[in-house]
Amino acid sequence: MSLLELRDVAGGYGPVRVLHDIDLSVEEGQVAVVLGANGAGKTTTLRAISGLLDVVSGDIRFAGTSLVGRPPEAIARLGIAHVPQGRGTFADLTVEDNLRIGAINRRDRDVERDLRHWLEVFPRLGERRDQEAGSMSGGEQQMLALARAMMARPKLLLLDEPSLGLAPLVTRELFDRLAELNREEGLTILVVEQNANLALEIGHWGYVLETGRIAVQGPAAELHDDDAVRKAYLGF
Ligand code: ATP
């Protein structure tokens, strides 16, 4: 079943139309990957889902509910967590305080338990619990952004170029972590990535965006192994 469905979505910035007729779905429990060159509209697509961009036409449905016209906070409360490009953590707050902010919309009693859980799952965050986020390495900050998103107990995680600025080994570790979250916690993920090779390895379904349109889509493994697709769009 599709947890998220975009149908004929068009939108952009003021008069500048960036997205055209985007049809995209993310199946519950799967990892969907959106690839494409700089400026293809990947970030804009995530912003449309999160309510940060006005959708001019078409519909976006999450678990059957239309997201169009809803403010970002309402969309977050429905269970969508968005880790933006550049991570969006608070540099001068501690690791722990950043994690607590992730749970700001929760009213249940399990926040402390979840905090302990994520500090165990990401031991380097546990070791740096009282340290300012800005003092950590890029990889650690990306792990913090991920853990903070998980503190909201999302049903869908949106990630915008998580590998940006990270060394190859750190990127590999991050993608291993994402694959684990998907496999072990059943988390549904939509990830936008420049690193097509790695993203397609953990993904189930892939989309390639080109100038605001879906140019190619298919099972991630097939896109990964398709020479013509790789040559034309993926550059590896
Ligand atoms: P990147 O990998 O560089 O982030 P992207 O695929 O995520 O690329 P978008 O950031 O979605 O691409 O940008 C798509 C298009 O929208 C680009 O042509 C960009 O110039 C334009 N654009 C992005 N942000 C704005 C804005 N705030 N105002 C006007 N145009 C914008």
Side-chain angles (χ1 to χ4, degrees), residues 13-199:
Y13 303 94
V16 183
R17 186 70 59 94
V18 174
L19 304 178
H20 310 271
D21 313 323
I22 300 284
D23 281 329
L24 180 155
S25 41
V26 185
E27 301 303 302
E28 186 149 22
Q30 293 204 347
V31 178
V33 178
V34 177
L35 307 165
N38 280 331
K42 304 183 298 298
T43 295
T44 306
T45 302
L46 292 190
R47 291 174 62 86
I49 297 164
S50 297
L52 298 165
L53 180 96
D54 285 336
V55 170
V56 177
S57 61
D59 198 12
I60 302 178
R61 289 191 168 264
F62 176 66
T65 302
S66 179
L67 303 183
V68 176
R70 287 179 194 257
E73 317 79 69
I75 291 173
R77 275 197 299 271
L78 288 173
I80 299 182
H82 186 162
V83 179
Q85 218 176 89
R87 298 159 197 140
T89 49
F90 295 101
D92 49 2
L93 294 185
T94 63
V95 165
E96 177 174 340
D97 287 344
N98 268 285
L99 292 174
R100 288 188 185 281
I101 287 172
I104 207 152
N105 283 325
R106 283 175 55 182
R107 295 286 170 266
D108 60 271
R109 290 157 182 262
D110 294 334
V111 172
E112 295 306 316
R113 201 177 68 192
D114 283 10
L115 184 67
R116 282 197 302 276
H117 173 70
W118 294 113
L119 289 172
E120 275 168 29
V121 171
F122 297 99
R124 271 176 294 165
L125 299 182
E127 290 159 18
R128 290 159 177 71
R129 182 177 183 149
D130 300 319
Q131 214 169 300
E132 285 182 2
S135 69
M136 299 196 301
S137 72
E140 288 160 354
Q141 289 188 41
Q142 187 64 63
M143 296 294 181
L144 174 60
L146 186 55
R148 187 181 69 167
M150 294 308 295
M151 284 295 292
R153 289 198 170 173
K155 298 187 185 88
L156 172 67
L157 180 66
L158 308 177
L159 286 162
D160 197 348
E161 298 206 19
S163 77
L164 205 71
L166 303 185
L169 266 179
V170 180
T171 304
R172 161 70 62 184
E173 188 190 344
L174 176 72
F175 274 82
D176 286 347
R177 281 319 184 68
L178 291 175
E180 266 167 39
L181 285 176
N182 168 250
R183 236 182 5 249
E184 286 161 24
E185 317 254 350
L187 180 68
T188 308
I189 301 175
L190 175 58
V191 58
V192 155
E193 222 350 285
Q194 292 275 351
N195 190 329
N197 199 11
L198 214 47

